């Protein structure tokens, strides 16, 4: 047997450098201040967008939702769909679908003679994120929010950044 052609795959640059360690320390400090903010407040935030930011932060930290496109899709799904939860037996998840040709888990859609690629990601909620999601849906959503266009990735990051930062903190661009 002749082995198949060896394909070389270029490696990405290492993330083990001073800049990434500083960003990790800063992200940890922001996370800790967010936890302190939640622990010290007697009630959940009254603003719907702050509760949405809490759900997104929890999904990233506790739920492992690390893809920025998935977090953006989660934000838009929660805004546009009042009942996003799916359940079979004891499994609860949210279907996240976004258009992308760059993600590893894509499937092809043929509609009206056109072909497009979409990514389907099932986000299984952890207990912390599920509790924050229920708190989000208990809060009355404003009517202007329903008429808002879908959020872009930068809008979602600004929403998260605004919730993580206190008045005294600043952050570099790389940590968020």
């Amino acid at each position: 047997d002749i082995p198949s052609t060896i394909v070389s795959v270029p490696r990405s640059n290492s993330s083990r450098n001073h800049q990434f360690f500083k960003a990790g320390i800063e992200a940890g400090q922001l996370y800790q201040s967010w936890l302190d903010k939640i622990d010290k407040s007697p009630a959940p935030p009254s603003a719907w967008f702050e509760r949405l930011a809490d759900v997104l932060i929890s999904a990233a930290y506790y739920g492992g939702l690390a893809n920025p496109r998935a977090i953006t899709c989660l934000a838009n799904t929660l805004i546009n769909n009042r009942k996003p939860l799916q359940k079979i037996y004891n499994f609860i998840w949210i279907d996240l679908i976004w258009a992308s040709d760059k993600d590893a888990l894509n499937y092809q859609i043929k509609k009206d003679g056109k072909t497009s690629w979409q990514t389907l990601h099932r986000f299984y909620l952890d207990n912390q994120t599920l509790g924050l999601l229920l708190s989000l849906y208990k809060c009355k959503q404003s009517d202007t929010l329903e008429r808002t266009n879908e959020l872009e990735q930068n809008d979602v990051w600004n929403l998260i950044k605004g919730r993580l930062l206190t008045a005294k903190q600043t952050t570099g661009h790389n940590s968020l």
Side-chain angles (χ1 to χ4, degrees):
D1 289 318
I2 300 173
S4 61
T5 307
I6 297 174
V7 178
S8 77
V9 178
R11 289 186 152 200
S12 61
N13 293 336
S14 173
S15 62
R16 296 183 57 85
N17 60 38
H18 183 67
Q19 178 185 2
F20 281 98
F21 282 118
K22 280 178 46 177
I25 290 168
E26 189 176 349
Q29 290 170 342
L30 291 172
Y31 168 70
Q32 190 59 49
S33 70
W34 174 71
L35 281 180
D36 293 342
K37 198 183 299 184
I38 288 177
D39 285 342
K40 291 178 183 171
S41 65
S46 58
W48 197 86
F49 270 116
E50 286 183 356
R51 289 187 189 202
L52 176 62
D54 285 343
V55 171
L56 299 176
I57 293 166
S58 179
Y61 274 104
Y62 296 112
L65 199 62
N67 186 335
R69 289 184 294 274
I71 291 177
T72 303
C73 183
L74 177 62
N76 287 319
T77 301
L78 296 177
I79 289 171
N80 297 323
N81 189 352
R82 291 298 287 176
K83 296 184 179 181
L85 297 175
Q86 307 289 326
K87 181 182 178 196
I88 294 179
Y89 302 113
N90 291 330
F91 300 106
I92 298 173
W93 72 89
I94 297 175
D95 284 331
L96 303 177
I97 301 172
W98 66 91
S100 175
D101 57 353
K102 298 177 183 176
D103 289 311
L105 303 172
N106 287 336
Y107 63 96
Q108 205 171 21
I109 299 284
K110 291 185 180 184
K111 186 175 181 183
D112 299 330
K114 294 182 179 181
T115 303
S116 64
W117 290 92
Q118 287 189 340
T119 299
L120 170 64
H121 179 84
R122 284 196 168 156
F123 173 55
Y124 292 91
L125 287 86
D126 58 281
N127 292 338
Q128 175 84 13
T129 307
L130 182 59
L132 290 170
L133 178 67
L134 295 176
S135 172
L136 171 75
Y137 282 135
K138 275 175 59 176
C139 183
K140 183 166 174 53
Q141 186 178 7
S142 66
D143 294 334
T144 58
L145 187 61
E146 293 175 2
R147 288 179 262 148
T148 306
N149 293 334
E150 286 198 355
L151 296 175
E152 297 294 325
Q153 188 169 318
N154 286 337
D155 300 329
V156 172
W157 288 126
N158 287 333
L159 179 69
I160 291 171
K161 188 176 180 179
R163 181 68 176 143
L164 284 175
L165 291 177
T166 61
K168 295 180 254 177
Q169 291 175 314
T170 60
T171 182
H173 180 38
N174 292 332
S175 62
L176 290 180

